């Protein structure tokens, strides 16, 4: 596996002429995440780069010849209305764009700068509306946290929580891309057939009573593999365009009734929220870590899922956090309350293993396809990434400021995910937010 290099764009001393980028933001000049926004004027969709509290408009940069010299495909892709064409560019070209963006936004020592054009190329984030970053043709959700799989499995099968395939094959299911929405989109409580053990002797069709979130990372796919041609594990890392936050909203009472024998269906397909900014693999280079350390007795990955590079640096050290704000809490001025914290580096499978596995039978992945990691839970109770685990299926209710309690989500509840990467010697970078309010 080729590794993304740590280079001068990661230098902690770099500052931006956009002052807000130098003040402990999620989006310092070392980050440069990409997203798509809608302008308030023409309503057109444009690719932007988050910098501090602002957005650098790439179409406006093109118009002012600030991207001259970039590879032809990159130039054309930067004027597009989605990130798909950029995601189709090879990693060396994506890296060239990162270097140019870093120079455009540098306070000092830049070969080319956007500063004289600030009025034309820079917008305030609060004045634009973010939309989905890519045309997502296909979405697959994995189940890569062994702690999540064990916790959930032990509720369903106390004697046999982890099924025998878990340590051999990255488990996943094909999800639904049509209902992926950007952060901030309200999520309507779905109706479905409710597990009869909860609803009565026979199933009822009614609004879910056990609405949950799942704290996940989304992985945007770069490049393509032809149908029938697997991406080897040694190449799979370069197919990770970048990461975002992902909330796999889940109706547990519907899920329990429908999941056997073919897996989740309507319990998951009503909405999946993602954060609008995609933090690129290049930005994440300083925050890589070793793959899950398999204890003695666990099988080693089969050869097609194993490479020395991926084992050494295939994981992403991203700290995740979930907060909840109820309607009553907002009314009374209470801040959102933190529910749990976990880390993507604890996953049993790396993103490259997910990609190698997904394509290993010949399935083609396209630029802009999205993978979910599955709920990211850790060993501690405070690191459980969904309410099903945190409240043990609603039995241990969470106490909230103002005296409310929650087993599962109620209408008006807002779920907020955040994430960040920190490492000694590097500048902290963040992912922004993935929010969603439940509506009845
Ligand atoms: Ca999930």
């Amino acid at each position: 596996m080729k590794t993304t290099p740590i280079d001068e764009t990661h230098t902690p001393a770099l500052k931006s002429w956009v002052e807000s980028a130098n003040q402990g933001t999620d989006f310092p000049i070392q980050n440069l995440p990409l997203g798509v926004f809608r302008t308030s004027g023409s309503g057109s969709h444009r690719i932007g780069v988050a910098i501090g509290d602002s957005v650098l408009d790439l179409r406006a940069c093109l118009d002012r010849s600030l991207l001259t010299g970039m590879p032809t495909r990159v130039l054309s892709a930067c004027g597009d209305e989605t990130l798909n064409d950029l995601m189709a560019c090879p990693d060396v070209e994506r890296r060239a764009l990162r270097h140019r963006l870093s120079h455009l936004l540098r306070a000092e020592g830049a070969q080319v700068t956007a500063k004289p054009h600030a009025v034309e190329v820079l917008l305030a984030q609060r004045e634009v509306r973010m939309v989905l970053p890519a045309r997502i043709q296909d979405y697959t959700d994995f189940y890569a946290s062994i702690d999540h799989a064990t916790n959930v499995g032990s509720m369903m099968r106390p004697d046999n929580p982890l099924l025998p395939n878990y340590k051999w094959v990255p488990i996943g299911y094909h999800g639904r891309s049509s209902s992926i929405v950007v952060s901030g989109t309200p999520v309507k409580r779905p109706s479905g057939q409710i597990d009869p053990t909860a609803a009565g002797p026979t199933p009822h069709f009614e609004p879910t009573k056990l609405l949950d979130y799942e704290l996940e990372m989304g992985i945007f796919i770069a490049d393509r593999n032809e149908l029938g041609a697997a991406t080897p594990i040694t190449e799979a890392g370069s197919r990770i365009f970048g990461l975002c936050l992902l909330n796999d909203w889940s109706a547990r009472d519907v899920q329990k009734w429908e999941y056997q024998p073919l897996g989740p269906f309507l319990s998951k397909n009503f909405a999946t929220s993602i954060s609008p900014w995609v933090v690129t693999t290049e930005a994440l280079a300083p925050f890589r870590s070793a793959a899950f350390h398999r204890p003695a007795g666990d099988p080693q990955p089969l050869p097609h899922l194993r490479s020395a590079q991926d084992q050494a640096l295939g994981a992403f050290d991203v700290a995740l956090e979930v907060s909840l704000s109820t309607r009553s809490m907002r009314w009374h001025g209470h801040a959102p309350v933190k529910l749990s914290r976990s880390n993507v580096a604890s996953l049993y499978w790396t993103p490259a293993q997910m990609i190698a596995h997904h394509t290993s039978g010949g399935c083609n992945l396209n630029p802009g396809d999205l993978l979910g990691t599955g709920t990211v839970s850790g060993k501690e109770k405070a690191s459980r990434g969904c309410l099903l685990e945190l409240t043990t299926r609603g039995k241990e209710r969470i106490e909230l400021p103002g005296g409310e309690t929650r087993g599962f989500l109620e209408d008006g509840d807002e779920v907020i995910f955040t994430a960040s990467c920190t490492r000694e010697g590097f500048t902290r970078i963040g992912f922004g937010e993935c929010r969603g309010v439940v509506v009845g």
Side-chain angles (χ1 to χ4, degrees), residues 2 4-5 7 9 32 34 58 67-78 83-102 222-223 238 240-241 280-282 367:
K2 293 178 281 182
T4 312
D7 57 34
T9 64
L32 306 173
L34 294 154
L58 289 198
L67 299 174
T68 304
M70 291 287 96
T72 317
R73 275 183 298 191
V74 171
L75 277 178
S76 153
C78 285
L83 293 177
N84 292 72
D85 283 359
L86 264 184
M87 290 168 166
C89 294
D91 54 358
V92 59
E93 296 189 357
R94 305 195 307 262
R95 232 172 5 254
L97 176 64
R98 174 179 169 83
H99 279 258
R100 175 61 59 88
L101 296 172
S102 176
D223 216 336
S238 64
I240 305 167
F241 179 83
T280 63
T281 305
E282 289 76 34

Side-chain angles (χ1 to χ4, degrees), residues 141 173 214 216 248 268 374-375:
D141 197 20
Y173 68 96
E214 289 194 338
E216 305 196 15
D248 176 24
K268 302 273 192 180
T375 308

Side-chain angles (χ1 to χ4, degrees), residues 3-341:
T3 41
T4 312
I6 296 171
D7 57 34
E8 49 121 12
T9 64
H10 302 100
T11 308
L14 279 185
K15 301 282 183 224
S16 175
W17 52 264
V18 181
E19 279 301 324
S20 60
N22 308 324
Q23 295 159 7
T25 162
D26 273 3
F27 308 124
I29 192 167
Q30 291 82 1
N31 193 346
L32 306 173
L34 294 154
V36 176
F37 65 95
R38 203 171 83 178
T39 55
S40 52
S42 65
S44 64
H45 290 193
R46 290 163 172 248
I47 296 174
V49 180
I51 181 78
D53 61 8
S54 300
V55 181
L56 182 73
D57 176 346
L58 289 198
R59 178 129 19 117
C61 289
L62 277 175
D63 292 345
R64 279 149 195 86
S65 305
L66 294 171
L67 299 174
T68 304
M70 291 287 96
T72 317
R73 275 183 298 191
V74 171
L75 277 178
S76 153
C78 285
D80 210 345
E81 297 199 332
T82 68
L83 293 177
N84 292 72
D85 283 359
L86 264 184
M87 290 168 166
C89 294
D91 54 358
V92 59
E93 296 189 357
R94 305 195 307 262
R95 232 172 5 254
L97 176 64
R98 174 179 169 83
H99 279 258
R100 175 61 59 88
L101 296 172
S102 176
H103 277 274
L104 287 177
L105 291 164
R106 265 175 217 187
E108 287 168 9
Q111 292 158 1
V112 51
T113 178
K115 191 175 180 184
H117 307 272
V119 175
E120 293 94 9
V121 300
L122 208 65
L123 300 101
Q125 278 180 32
R126 64 173 184 280
E127 283 167 11
V128 302
R129 188 164 147 208
M130 300 306 295
V131 298
L132 284 177
R135 218 168 31 251
I136 302 166
Q137 295 186 82
D138 275 304
Y139 159 52
T140 303
D141 197 20
F142 282 88
Y143 195 54
S145 161
I146 192 168
D147 294 305
H148 173 68
T150 305
N151 290 339
V152 172
S154 64
M155 282 183 242
M156 293 187 283
R157 300 173 300 275
D159 302 332
N160 182 27
L162 210 58
L163 292 168
N165 57 7
Y166 190 84
K167 294 178 177 176
W168 294 94
V169 57
I171 301 293
Y173 68 96
H174 287 119
R176 185 77 196 165
S177 53
S178 65
S179 52
I180 297 173
V181 296
V182 75
S183 171
T185 309
V187 172
K188 186 170 161 52
R189 177 180 299 273
S191 289
Q193 281 200 27
I194 304 296
D195 168 31
T197 60
T202 56
H204 288 246
F205 181 81
E206 59 186 27
T208 173
K209 292 187 176 69
L210 307 185
L211 184 61
D212 203 353
Y213 60 80
E214 289 194 338
L215 174 62
E216 305 196 15
M217 271 288 56
I219 302 159
F220 272 105
I221 295 295
D223 216 336
R224 67 180 80 243
N225 61 299
E226 296 303 323
L227 184 62
T231 297
I233 183 74
T234 47
E235 301 293 324
S238 64
R239 298 205 54 197
I240 305 167
F241 179 83
L243 305 183
C244 65
L245 288 157
L246 185 150
N247 186 344
D248 176 24
W249 303 91
S250 300
R252 300 302 185 190
D253 39 11
V254 179
Q255 186 179 356
K256 191 174 177 205
W257 177 232
E258 74 173 5
Y259 87 98
Q260 289 176 313
L262 290 185
F265 187 25
L266 271 67
S267 57
K268 302 273 192 180
N269 74 3
F270 56 94
T272 304
S273 303
I274 61 170
S275 57
W277 293 110
V278 184
V279 177
T280 63
T281 305
E282 289 76 34
L284 291 163
F287 309 104
R288 302 301 293 262
S289 56
F292 185 92
H293 177 69
R294 296 183 172 217
D298 278 16
Q300 287 305 306
L302 290 177
H304 72 295
L305 298 176
R306 183 177 171 83
S307 84
Q309 278 281 6
D310 187 53
Q311 289 298 304
L313 283 172
F316 289 87
D317 184 2
V318 183
L320 303 172
E321 201 168 274
V322 187
S323 302
L324 176 72
S325 159
T326 70
R327 189 184 285 143
S328 169
M329 285 168 64
R330 292 193 293 279
W331 177 260
H332 290 100
H334 296 300
V337 64
K338 297 204 189 327
L339 297 184
S340 74
R341 291 185 174 91

Side-chain angles (χ1 to χ4, degrees), residues 366-377:
N366 289 302
D369 283 358
L370 183 66
L371 310 182
T373 55
T375 308
V376 182
S377 294

